[in-house]
Amino acid sequence: MTGMRFRLKFADCSKGVSPVVGMVLVLAIIAGVMSIIQIKYVPQWDYKKEAQSFNTLVSEANEIPALLTSKSSSTSIQVDVGVNYPQYPFLVNPISSYGMVKVVPENVSVSYSIYGPRVEENYSSSAIIFEPTYLYMPRINLTYEHGAVIEYGQNYAKPIMLSQVAFSKDEINLPVITSKKISVIAKSYVLHFYLISKGVGKTVYNLTVSFKTLYPELWKRTLSKIYGNSAVISVSGNLVTVKFKKAIMISNPAWYMSIRNNFSKSSAKYVSAILSMPSHVYLNPSGRASITLQVLDKYGNPMDNVSLRVQVDNSTVCQLLNNNTLVSSMVTTTGFNGMGVIYIEGLKQGNAEITVKAEIPASKGGTNVSVISVNVTKKTGSGRYTIDIVHANGSLAGCYIYRYCGCCRRGHCWIYYDVYTYDVLARITPTPPELTPVTVYFLNGSEAVIQTTGFCNSSGYVHVAMTVGVHVGYSSDTTPITPQKLVDVKPDTVVVSVGASSAEETINYT
């Protein structure tokens, strides 16, 4: 009887152990599978997520150069430097990783000749460095500097320039970023950019551009491919210097950058140069001439609404015309594109100087004063050069409409312009030195409505092409074009002048 009870109890215990052992084995298998997934597959999935996040960061950073060369007055961009890792049940994975954004100073200096005078400008620009922190991908960073985005990592032999908009064969559009020194850690940032000075292209010669960079050899290789023998490129430490052998157009838009949306634009403005076109005037007694003035800010861009005091040092030789009255001094104000025009009349033979001074202070290294030389003499000939105007063509290309009042939508709130393209080609003999400045006047009757400067090539030819908006009551053309200059009257004659020599030609409108 006792043996029977023992056998029954033993049988009952063996039936209970089997499910437990089975469950333990199942759990062990599950744990093993989860361990394999945790060790082998989760890192692969995280690596893939990091690669996707880095591609997003590259795409976002590559938008910055285009934004800073756009025409908008302010803009912002979100940059995702961190990674949000995927979360899986029963697996261990970090929630997210953070990245760093740093801003470091990189000075830029530009010097050039334009309309004769030499202009020197120094800017305090910045580089923006994005450093994501990854668990599985190698260490890597992205840098924005001088209109380019550069990628560089620990396992790279050389940095890679992903995009670059500042330097091209015939034009330089070099954005300047001013910012406080920044070093912050987060997953995502919004970078706010505020336009300080609108970049306006101008053709210059004897241009030298120097800039500090984190990747000097990469810039040297890139610029050498673009310019070849037309520029001399040198590197000294982290400073790259480019000296151009040809005339080239340059523009320097300036921006303030912040990671907080709290920009307060400073009222302080500075003048880097006052350009006079021409800077040396030849007159006959009783003859008249116009002088175009342009005021540049510390970034080399035009300044509107600047008051200029104009003074003649020898009013017996020449005087200024102010409302058809001869005066020895006057005040004028710059308008569209930072331009102003003064008129002078010769009185008797002799030399004089006209001093133009802005009421705004000069920038560091710049000047807010310009001196114009005037020579009043009876010229016996046309000068040392013979000028042959090959063609002076003008054609209607479109329209430009400017809204000057935001109060209504009626027609009187708009100013209409017909936009013409002008093409002037002249040959000068004997051939002057290459890049000699040549003044080109567009006249309406005896009044100069436009004045610009071209540069001789090695064969003695000078070519000027530009778009000009002429004020009209209403434009019938529907093709929108933004002109380089705006004028009130349509020019009918072109005068090309080199030194004391000049030639005149009627504009051929087609």
Side-chain angles (χ1 to χ4, degrees), residues 414-429:
W414 305 83
I415 300 177
Y416 295 87
Y417 294 87
D418 280 338
V419 179
Y420 292 88
T421 58
Y422 291 100
D423 189 282
V424 179
L425 179 66
R427 184 181 181 185
I428 301 165
T429 53

Side-chain angles (χ1 to χ4, degrees), residues 73 107 131 182 222 241 244 259 299 311 317 350 418 431 442 483:
S73 58
N107 294 335
E131 294 184 350
I182 297 172
T222 301
T241 300
F244 292 87
I259 58 174
Y299 301 103
Q311 178 78 42
V317 172
D418 280 338
T431 302
F442 292 78

Side-chain angles (χ1 to χ4, degrees), residues 391-397 419-423 490 507-510:
H391 64 247
N393 298 327
S395 59
L396 183 63
V419 179
Y420 292 88
T421 58
Y422 291 100
D423 189 282
K490 183 179 176 181
I507 298 175
N508 175 36
Y509 282 99
T510 56

Side-chain angles (χ1 to χ4, degrees), residues 43-111:
Q44 294 179 6
W45 297 336
D46 286 350
Y47 182 94
K48 184 177 180 180
K49 182 63 177 179
E50 289 175 350
Q52 292 173 348
S53 298
F54 181 70
N55 289 336
T56 300
L57 175 61
V58 170
S59 176
E60 293 168 342
N62 274 334
E63 293 180 25
I64 297 176
L67 289 175
L68 299 186
T69 52
S70 68
K71 303 299 183 182
S72 60
S73 58
S74 63
T75 187
S76 61
I77 182 173
Q78 179 171 318
V79 181
D80 298 295
V81 189
V83 181
N84 288 318
Y85 292 100
Q87 301 300 305
Y88 309 103
F90 309 110
L91 295 175
V92 178
N93 214 23
I95 297 175
S96 60
S97 73
Y98 291 74
M100 178 177 288
V101 171
K102 295 191 295 186
V103 174
V104 297
E106 287 187 335
N107 294 335
V108 178
S109 64
V110 177
S111 63

Side-chain angles (χ1 to χ4, degrees), residues 180-406:
K180 296 179 180 178
K181 195 171 182 179
I182 297 172
S183 182
V184 291
I185 297 175
K187 287 192 300 183
S188 179
Y189 310 83
V190 176
L191 304 179
H192 301 278
F193 296 94
Y194 305 91
L195 186 65
I196 299 173
S197 179
K198 183 179 180 180
V200 176
K202 52 188 178 290
T203 301
V204 303
Y205 62 104
N206 294 331
L207 171 66
T208 299
V209 178
S210 297
F211 57 88
K212 288 186 176 180
T213 171
L214 300 174
Y215 306 100
E217 293 300 327
L218 173 62
W219 276 106
K220 183 178 180 181
R221 293 194 301 269
T222 301
L223 297 176
S224 296
K225 290 179 182 177
I226 296 173
Y227 297 112
N229 296 327
S230 63
V232 177
I233 302 161
S234 59
V235 172
S236 176
N238 63 348
L239 183 69
V240 176
T241 300
V242 189
K243 295 183 179 180
F244 292 87
K245 301 178 183 179
K246 64 174 186 176
I248 192 167
M249 181 174 287
I250 184 170
S251 175
N252 297 105
W255 300 80
Y256 175 79
M257 192 208 77
S258 174
I259 58 174
R260 296 179 178 86
N261 192 7
N262 59 352
F263 175 64
S264 177
K265 191 170 182 178
S266 172
S267 60
K269 296 181 179 180
Y270 299 93
V271 174
S272 67
I274 300 176
L275 306 177
S276 56
M277 303 159 276
S279 57
H280 197 141
V281 180
Y282 296 91
L283 282 174
N284 290 324
S286 301
R288 292 184 176 182
S290 65
I291 301 171
T292 301
L293 306 172
Q294 186 178 43
V295 180
L296 304 181
D297 65 12
K298 66 179 181 179
Y299 301 103
N301 296 316
M303 298 180 72
D304 300 343
N305 299 318
V306 177
S307 293
L308 301 173
R309 167 68 62 176
V310 186
Q311 178 78 42
V312 180
D313 73 335
N314 189 348
S315 57
T316 63
V317 172
C318 69
Q319 289 194 17
L320 304 163
L321 280 164
N322 187 13
N323 295 324
N324 268 341
T325 301
L326 292 173
V327 296
S328 59
S329 66
M330 61 179 288
V331 175
T332 186
T333 303
T334 61
F336 177 78
N337 210 17
M339 308 286 278
V341 179
I342 59 174
Y343 298 90
I344 61 174
E345 181 173 315
L347 301 178
K348 71 174 187 178
Q349 294 185 44
N351 298 316
E353 288 186 344
I354 299 174
T355 301
V356 182
K357 184 174 182 179
E359 63 177 14
I360 297 175
S363 62
K364 185 178 180 180
T367 178
N368 64 344
V369 178
S370 178
V371 178
I372 304 159
S373 299
V374 180
N375 187 319
V376 179
T377 181
K378 292 185 177 179
K379 293 179 287 186
T380 57
S382 60
R384 60 172 293 199
Y385 294 114
T386 299
I387 302 173
D388 176 28
I389 300 178
V390 179
H391 64 247
N393 298 327
S395 59
L396 183 63
C399 68
Y400 175 70
I401 305 174
Y402 171 65
R403 186 178 185 184
Y404 67 91
C405 174

